Amino acid sequence: MKRMTILSAMAATVVGMTAQVNAPEIDGYLSRGTLMYRDQNYQGAIDQLTQLKRMSPDSHQAEEADFYIALSRLYRGELSEARQLLEAFIGDYPSSSHMLTALMSIADCDFYESEYEQALARYNEIPESALDLAAAEDYRYRKAYSLMKLDEWDAAMNQFASLRSTKRYSNAARFYQGYIYYAQGDYDKAKELLSSVNTSNAPGNRADYYLTQIAFTEGDYDKALSMARKAMNTVAEFTPEMQRIAGESLYNLGDEAEAVTYLEKYVAATNDPKPSALYILGVSQYKSGDLDEAVSTLGPVTACDDAMGQSAYLYIGQAYLKQGNVNSALLALEKAYRMDYDKKVQETAFYNYAVAKMEGGRTPFGSSVTMFEDFLRRYPDSRYAPSVQEYLVTGYMTDNNYEKALASIERIKRPSSAILTAKQRVLYILGSRDLAAGNVSQALKRFQGAKALSSQNKAMATECDLWIGDCYYRQGKYTEASKAYSDYLRYSGANSSNRMLATYDLGYSRFGEKRYSEARQNFEKVVKQPGNLGQDIVADSYNRIGDCHYYASAFSEAAANYDKAYSLNPEAGDYALFQKAMMRGLARDYKGKLEIIDDMMSRYPTSGLMPSALLEKAESYVALNRADDAVKVYRDLVKRYPTTSQGRNGYLQLAITLMSQGNRRQAIDTYKEVISSYPTSEEARVASDDLKRIYADDGNLDDYAKFIASVPNAPKLEAAEMDELTFRAAEKAYLNDNAATSKLRDYVSRYPGGQYEPQALSYLATAAVNAGNEADALQYATMITERYPDSEAAEDALAIKGEAEYAAGNGEQALATFRKLESRASASRNIHAARLGIMRVSRDLGKYDDVVDMADRMLASTAIPSTQKNEVRYSRAYALAQLGKGDEAVKEWQQLAEDMDDLYGAKSAYYLAQYHFDNGAEKKARTEVERLVDSNTPHQYWLARGFILLSDIYRKQGNQFEADEYLKSLKENYPGEESDIFMMIDQRLK
């Protein structure tokens, strides 16, 4: 009867509502809207109730309309709009009978947006007891689901348990309880529950997916295969995973061919396939000879830090080996060897690594020696051990890190003859690299050590003599250098490629010993049979022959050799022409001297010899009794080069010449100009003495004394005897031992402003430079330039000051110092030092026009040392590239890159490759950078930059695996600490 009553009531309601639904009034819109909501016609409900809102409804009608519009938006999935409407409803109708439903619906918005934590918080604010039965079930279900998604398993399990007896949620509750047991690894309970659910609808239709996973995980591959095939088409989103399960089950059952079919479909349908599937596919591709595909497929598997990842590295390495790509093979095999999961894989990987290494493979700073030693420690009884011992010896020679190789050799207690031969070569190579880097003392020890192993390789021991001679020569030990060069010539073969170079070097060391006759004989041998020496060296040898004749007073012979030097190398012929002019003067052919000097000055207007040339020109006019012409030249000299020693001497000679002409007043004024302008110079002292005699002759010594007193720092009338004695003792101690500077410091302290203070400070500055004490060097050099700016010591002090400022990072200050030095330098070495400093600072400051200008000036001069020529050429090329003149830069870089043992050869090789890469010439870039990384250059920073560039090239060509592995290997093995190297690596591996 009760059921009937309900039906009757519902019928009456329907009859009563029929009229309302069809009514055009507000109640009609409300009735139609709510009826459409109950029929799940949510858009219709929204339309009807929105129209109602436009018709001035009463408060109850507006409340009902707002409520059902909000719920309609919610069930249409318009969650953001629904949330806004529900929140507005709560604010507008705080006493509404729908308040509980509205609060529940806002929580539902969070739930449907997967904001489970927020949803749970909102549900917990709603009292379940206030809900009707259906709403309470919804409430518990959604709380349970939210708890499950938040991994709060126990609480979720309890909530789902409370729904097991309900009609609507019983099946879902059992499914999700089964899923929780599955997620917790309790497969027995999971199977019990998942097997009991109704699979005809969601979420029960997903039960077979998890049951299949359980069967696969438990190793029941027959069952997993059967279930995967059945479940493959049940839920579309699970199809790829079921294909994987089927494929891997077939693989484990031994049916690799069918397994691959399933796995290929799985990989094609998945953005992030599982490593296990990729591993099976990759190994299959390797076995079938699809090596490129195998490398590509196995690449992602190497991210697994387990036995599978280790094995993937081994297969990739073997694939590269088969392709002949030994470099990439080494990268992969080294990783496989260093992973400890599978000893058999590790042993096999190492042996293949050794094979690749012996075939010329390279890794960024990888030490094959270390790996070989590690293998022998781990596997002393391995079947590969005898071969590895042989590889170890060869590894010393092929590994780029010779310091580590030497350390490894030193640890061997009873080295074999082969090991000692390797040690000799390692010492030889390290010595040559130390010398190229300017570490002369260390280089000397290396070469002496290599020579001591002469029983291993006599030819190499003899070559060491040549390098030992170079070391001694750079240290200024000319006697020892001559002995080493002589030993080389005595023991080297007549056809030795370096024989004439040794003869040339011996000539220089004997020249340094002032054994000019013997030196000349060496240089004459060079010009007679230069062999493979360049034309510039032959020209330089003629210059030195000329110098030797000059010191023997054989001026005609000297001039003839200067002529030959000039004709061979006219681009840098300023010295030869100048010396030829000097020989004419010594032969009293002053007109001829003038002609040659004028020719020299017109050809080389930027030559560092210009001040000396003007001084000699004036003196030639004096010798020809052409005093007026001499005066003009002296005036030109002091105007153009007033701060040089030649300029100061020009002032002095001008005064003397004016005096000889009877221009007494002008002569006195000129003497005074010398003293006033350069009071701390030697020329001022001479001028003071001459002026003193003139005033004495005139009986006006009081006027002289007044003038001297009026000039700050002018020469004193008398030099203190104790001043001189103290200085001479300090100087003697210093010259006997360049590190003994205590007496010099004591002299400077006791005699501030003393007669010999400039020289004492100069010695102290030089000693500080040699000791690597830049701060003290700068202090002493600054004292000279400020207290004695006109002294002979001031030039060298400016050079030291500029270098110290540059080393301290004070670029602009160093630039100003070097420019000051250039304007006043007299000696060729200081002119070169100034220009070199200007070039370096300008390069760092981005003043590339100045870099090119200074480089051109230095390259046009004979004053440039061979040890710095490459730096000048490199800097010029770099500046040209920055100025947009890439073609010119490339030509220079290509020449310099022929010698990558040299720092600037290595830098040039890198920038050459980078230039090609930046301009889209990837093939050229790769060729050049591979030359760099194969060169075994000792300059590890530029070698590292080369590997990074090689990685960039691989990446641009699509070889992602090789690109990343080069960077990973570099990061692991790079011995340097430069932060920019690691930053560049990390940026690329992101």
Side-chain angles (χ1 to χ4, degrees):
M1 289 298 294
K2 186 177 181 180
R3 181 174 177 80
M4 289 298 294
T5 301
I6 294 172
L7 289 173
S8 299
M10 288 182 65
T13 301
V14 170
V15 170
M17 287 182 64
T18 302
Q20 294 177 348
V21 167
N22 294 321
E25 293 84 1
I26 291 177
D27 284 342
Y29 281 103
L30 180 60
S31 297
R32 286 192 295 275
T34 54
L35 187 60
M36 288 179 179
Y37 168 79
R38 293 188 181 99
D39 288 341
Q40 299 180 12
N41 180 3
Y42 300 120
Q43 185 59 55
I46 292 170
D47 293 341
Q48 291 293 315
L49 295 171
T50 301
Q51 182 61 32
L52 178 153
K53 296 268 298 192
R54 299 190 186 104
M55 300 172 68
S56 302
D58 61 29
S59 59
H60 172 72
Q61 292 167 334
E63 177 185 343
E64 292 296 301
D66 286 341
F67 177 70
Y68 284 110
I69 289 173
L71 291 189
S72 295
R73 294 287 184 192
L74 171 64
Y75 294 121
R76 276 178 56 81
E78 299 169 3
L79 301 179
S80 177
E81 295 87 343
R83 183 191 300 277
Q84 292 177 11
L85 292 171
L86 288 164
E87 290 173 348
F89 179 85
I90 291 172
D92 293 340
Y93 309 105
S95 301
S96 173
S97 61
H98 298 305
M99 181 59 65
L100 202 60
T101 304
L103 290 171
M104 179 87 164
S105 297
I106 292 175
D108 290 345
C109 287
D110 290 324
F111 179 82
Y112 291 127
E113 287 180 334
S114 301
E115 296 291 341
Y116 299 113
E117 189 170 0
Q118 179 64 28
L120 192 60
R122 291 187 190 278
Y123 287 134
N124 286 334
E125 293 175 355
I126 299 170
E128 183 181 353
S129 59
L131 301 173
D132 62 31
L133 183 62
E137 289 178 358
D138 291 341
Y139 171 87
R140 274 183 280 139
Y141 173 76
R142 288 167 191 164
K143 276 188 67 175
Y145 192 89
S146 297
L147 288 165
M148 180 185 71
K149 298 298 285 187
L150 293 171
D151 293 340
E152 297 184 28
W153 307 116
D154 291 342
M157 189 70 82
N158 290 333
Q159 288 285 340
F160 282 126
S162 71
L163 294 165
R164 288 275 296 269
S165 61
T166 66
K167 182 177 181 180
R168 284 192 301 145
Y169 289 114
S170 175
N171 195 60
R174 286 200 308 280
F175 170 79
Y176 284 122
Q177 283 186 312
Y179 168 78
I180 290 172
Y181 281 128
Y182 167 81
Q184 291 178 322
D186 191 341
Y187 296 140
D188 288 338
K189 290 182 180 178
K191 285 188 288 185
E192 179 183 346
L193 283 166
L194 292 171
S195 298
S196 69
V197 301
N198 180 359
T199 61
S200 62
N201 50 42
N205 61 346
R206 299 166 180 256
D208 286 344
Y209 170 85
Y210 294 105
L211 289 168
T212 304
Q213 292 280 9
I214 292 171
F216 182 79
T217 303
E218 292 179 335
D220 190 345
Y221 299 119
D222 284 315
K223 184 176 181 180
L225 176 61
S226 174
M227 293 184 71
R229 284 172 168 164
K230 178 183 176 183
M232 205 168 288
N233 299 313
T234 303
V235 181
E237 65 182 281
F238 291 153
T239 299
E241 179 63 9
M242 293 297 96
Q243 289 171 331
R244 181 188 74 83
I245 295 290
E248 293 193 24
S249 296
L250 283 163
Y251 179 81
N252 285 298
L253 291 169
D255 191 347
E256 186 173 334
E258 190 176 358
V260 167
T261 301
Y262 277 111
L263 292 175
E264 285 177 341
K265 292 178 181 178
Y266 162 71
V267 170
T270 310
N271 292 328
D272 187 22
K274 288 193 175 182
S276 55
L278 292 174
Y279 177 80
I280 295 170
L281 271 181
V283 172
S284 175
Q285 290 161 345
Y286 172 83
K287 290 177 180 177
S288 62
D290 296 330
L291 300 180
D292 287 332
E293 290 295 323
V295 170
S296 177
T297 303
L298 289 168
V301 184
T302 60
C304 300
D305 190 9
D306 53 23
M308 184 169 61
Q310 181 185 21
S311 180
Y313 268 124
L314 174 61
Y315 276 111
I316 289 172
Q318 290 175 323
Y320 279 133
L321 265 183
K322 287 187 176 183
Q323 291 177 318
N325 186 350
V326 291
N327 296 324
S328 297
L330 275 182
L331 293 170
L333 293 167
E334 182 178 359
K335 290 291 181 65
Y337 172 72
R338 295 194 184 281
M339 298 172 80
D340 291 325
Y341 299 104
D342 188 322
K343 298 298 181 184
K344 186 175 180 181
V345 168
Q346 192 175 43
E347 189 176 355
T348 304
F350 176 82
Y351 182 74
N352 282 278
Y353 174 93
V355 171
K357 192 69 179 176
M358 293 309 104
E359 290 182 6
R362 61 161 188 265
T363 55
F365 299 94
S367 175
S368 59
V369 170
T370 303
M371 280 192 65
F372 293 156
E373 290 177 338
D374 181 58
F375 180 83
L376 291 174
R377 281 194 298 271
R378 291 189 183 204
Y379 307 107
D381 300 323
S382 169
R383 58 196 173 106
Y384 301 128
S387 299
V388 172
Q389 288 173 336
E390 294 179 13
Y391 292 148
L392 180 61
V393 176
T394 309
Y396 293 139
M397 312 310 301
T398 58
D399 203 316
N400 189 42
N401 197 327
Y402 287 90
E403 292 285 3
K404 284 187 177 180
L406 182 60
S408 296
I409 293 174
E410 296 290 3
R411 288 194 293 269
I412 300 175
K413 294 180 180 179
R414 290 183 294 276
S416 65
S417 177
I419 295 293
L420 291 175
T421 299
K423 180 179 180 180
Q424 183 187 31
R425 180 158 179 78
V426 167
L427 284 169
Y428 179 85
I429 291 172
L430 286 174
S432 62
R433 292 181 171 185
D434 285 332
L435 190 59
N439 301 323
V440 180
S441 297
Q442 179 72 0
L444 181 59
K445 292 178 183 177
R446 308 275 205 197
F447 288 126
Q448 287 171 334
K451 183 182 178 181
L453 294 168
S454 59
S455 59
Q456 302 303 315
N457 187 326
K458 290 183 179 179
M460 185 175 292
T462 300
E463 287 297 314
C464 288
D465 282 321
L466 184 60
W467 291 102
I468 289 169
D470 283 354
C471 292
Y472 280 131
Y473 184 84
R474 294 194 190 190
Q475 292 178 332
K477 298 178 179 179
Y478 302 122
T479 301
E480 291 87 342
S482 293
K483 182 181 183 305
Y485 291 135
S486 297
D487 285 346
Y488 175 83
L489 292 169
R490 184 178 300 113
Y491 298 115
S492 65
N495 296 321
S496 169
S497 60
N498 288 325
R499 191 167 183 81
M500 294 317 298
L501 177 61
T503 303
Y504 174 76
D505 290 340
L506 179 58
Y508 259 101
S509 62
R510 285 176 170 169
F511 193 89
E513 292 182 87
K514 299 183 179 180
R515 294 162 61 184
Y516 299 118
S517 177
E518 294 167 90
R520 176 173 55 79
Q521 292 174 19
N522 292 124
F523 289 123
E524 285 174 344
K525 288 181 180 178
V526 172
V527 300
K528 186 177 180 180
Q529 289 184 317
N532 58 2
L533 299 181
Q535 199 166 349
D536 56 336
I537 292 181
V538 177
D540 184 66
S541 296
Y542 274 120
N543 273 328
R544 299 294 81 78
I545 294 170
D547 292 343
C548 292
H549 280 303
Y550 164 67
Y551 286 120
S553 299
F555 305 131
S556 296
E557 291 84 349
N561 281 282
Y562 292 134
D563 261 337
K564 293 176 181 177
Y566 177 77
S567 64
L568 277 175
N569 192 13
E571 292 181 357
D574 53 342
Y575 178 81
L577 280 182
F578 180 78
Q579 287 298 105
K580 181 181 176 183
M582 294 294 290
M583 297 307 104
R584 290 288 179 91
L586 291 169
R588 301 184 183 279
D589 180 6
Y590 300 114
K591 290 183 179 180
K593 178 180 177 181
L594 285 169
E595 290 176 1
I596 297 174
I597 285 178
D598 284 338
D599 185 31
M600 176 257 172
M601 290 194 297
S602 67
R603 291 178 183 272
Y604 309 102
T606 63
S607 171
L609 295 171
M610 282 294 287
S612 297
L614 285 169
L615 185 62
E616 291 296 331
K617 182 176 181 179
E619 291 180 0
S620 296
Y621 280 132
V622 170
L624 291 170
N625 294 317
R626 294 169 59 179
D628 290 342
D629 291 330
V631 169
K632 290 179 182 177
V633 177
Y634 282 133
R635 292 193 187 283
D636 185 29
L637 170 60
V638 299
K639 180 181 178 182
R640 293 169 62 183
Y641 305 101
T643 57
T644 64
S645 66
Q646 293 92 337
R648 296 191 297 272
N649 195 14
Y651 264 121
L652 190 60
Q653 296 302 321
L654 175 60
I656 294 171
T657 304
L658 289 169
M659 196 70 182
S660 70
Q661 288 181 308
N663 295 326
R664 189 181 186 83
R665 185 68 260 164
Q666 291 185 44
I668 290 173
D669 290 343
T670 304
Y671 279 127
K672 287 184 175 181
E673 180 70 21
V674 173
I675 296 168
S676 298
S677 300
Y678 316 107
T680 59
S681 68
E682 177 64 18
E683 289 78 13
R685 188 190 63 77
V686 175
S688 175
D689 288 343
D690 287 355
L691 192 61
K692 180 167 58 176
R693 284 193 294 271
I694 294 171
Y695 274 106
D697 290 343
D698 293 344
N700 293 327
L701 277 176
D702 287 344
D703 291 343
Y704 167 78
K706 289 179 183 178
F707 168 72
I708 290 296
S710 71
V711 179
N713 299 319
K716 298 176 182 178
L717 290 172
E718 300 291 341
E721 184 177 2
M722 285 302 295
D723 179 329
E724 181 175 3
L725 290 173
T726 304
F727 170 73
R728 295 303 177 197
E731 181 182 47
K732 183 177 180 181
Y734 171 72
L735 293 176
N736 286 335
D737 179 3
N738 293 158
T741 57
S742 59
K743 290 185 177 180
L744 287 170
R745 291 196 300 273
D746 180 62
Y747 169 79
V748 171
S749 175
R750 290 176 59 189
Y751 297 97
Q755 180 178 356
Y756 302 100
E757 188 176 43
Q759 187 60 53
L761 290 171
S762 180
Y763 284 145
L764 287 169
T766 302
V769 170
N770 292 336
N773 191 335
E774 297 289 347
D776 282 357
L778 179 59
Q779 177 188 353
Y780 291 128
T782 302
M783 290 170 69
I784 296 171
T785 59
E786 291 181 353
R787 296 181 186 179
Y788 307 100
D790 316 311
S791 64
E792 291 290 339
E795 274 192 36
D796 289 338
L798 282 171
I800 292 172
K801 182 172 180 286
E803 288 294 341
E805 290 166 341
Y806 179 58
N810 300 323
E812 293 289 356
Q813 195 172 344
L815 185 60
T817 300
F818 285 129
R819 289 205 180 279
K820 187 174 183 180
L821 175 61
E822 187 194 24
S823 71
R824 62 172 298 164
S826 308
S828 295
R829 59 184 172 81
N830 281 332
I831 293 172
H832 173 73
R835 290 174 176 173
L836 184 66
I838 293 170
M839 182 198 75
R840 286 172 172 168
V841 179
S842 297
R843 182 182 66 207
D844 293 350
L845 296 178
K847 300 181 178 182
Y848 299 118
D849 286 319
D850 290 342
V851 174
V852 174
D853 178 43
M854 287 297 115
D856 286 341
R857 292 189 183 202
M858 286 185 283
L859 292 171
S861 171
T862 56
I864 182 171
S866 59
T867 54
Q868 294 173 345
K869 193 171 184 178
N870 283 353
E871 179 187 357
V872 174
R873 292 173 62 195
Y874 160 78
S875 299
R876 181 178 184 275
Y878 182 82
L880 286 169
Q882 301 306 309
L883 292 169
K885 301 177 181 179
D887 291 343
E888 293 181 58
V890 165
K891 291 178 182 178
E892 195 71 77
W893 280 331
Q894 285 174 332
Q895 293 179 21
L896 289 168
E898 292 301 317
D899 179 15
M900 285 182 243
D901 276 352
D902 178 78
L903 171 61
Y904 297 98
K907 292 176 74 170
S908 295
Y910 169 76
Y911 279 110
L912 178 60
Q914 185 70 58
Y915 175 84
H916 287 315
F917 181 72
D918 292 341
N919 286 277
E922 292 168 27
K923 187 175 181 180
K924 287 183 179 179
R926 181 168 175 177
T927 298
E928 296 300 338
V929 79
E930 286 186 337
R931 284 186 64 243
L932 171 61
V933 299
D934 286 337
S935 69
N936 281 344
T937 177
H939 306 291
Q940 61 184 25
Y941 175 84
W942 294 103
L943 184 58
R945 292 289 300 270
F947 277 116
I948 293 171
L949 176 56
L950 184 59
S951 171
D952 290 344
I953 294 169
Y954 277 131
R955 197 178 310 281
K956 193 168 184 180
Q957 293 176 337
N959 297 331
Q960 186 75 24
F961 176 82
E962 291 174 82
D964 285 348
E965 291 304 318
Y966 265 111
L967 294 176
K968 292 175 186 175
S969 182
L970 179 61
K971 186 174 184 178
E972 291 174 3
N973 297 323
Y974 183 57
E977 297 179 355
E978 295 89 351
S979 59
D980 61 326
I981 292 293
F982 295 100
M983 182 178 69
M984 284 185 273
I985 293 171
D986 291 339
Q987 286 175 342
R988 288 161 170 79
L989 287 176
K990 284 182 180 178

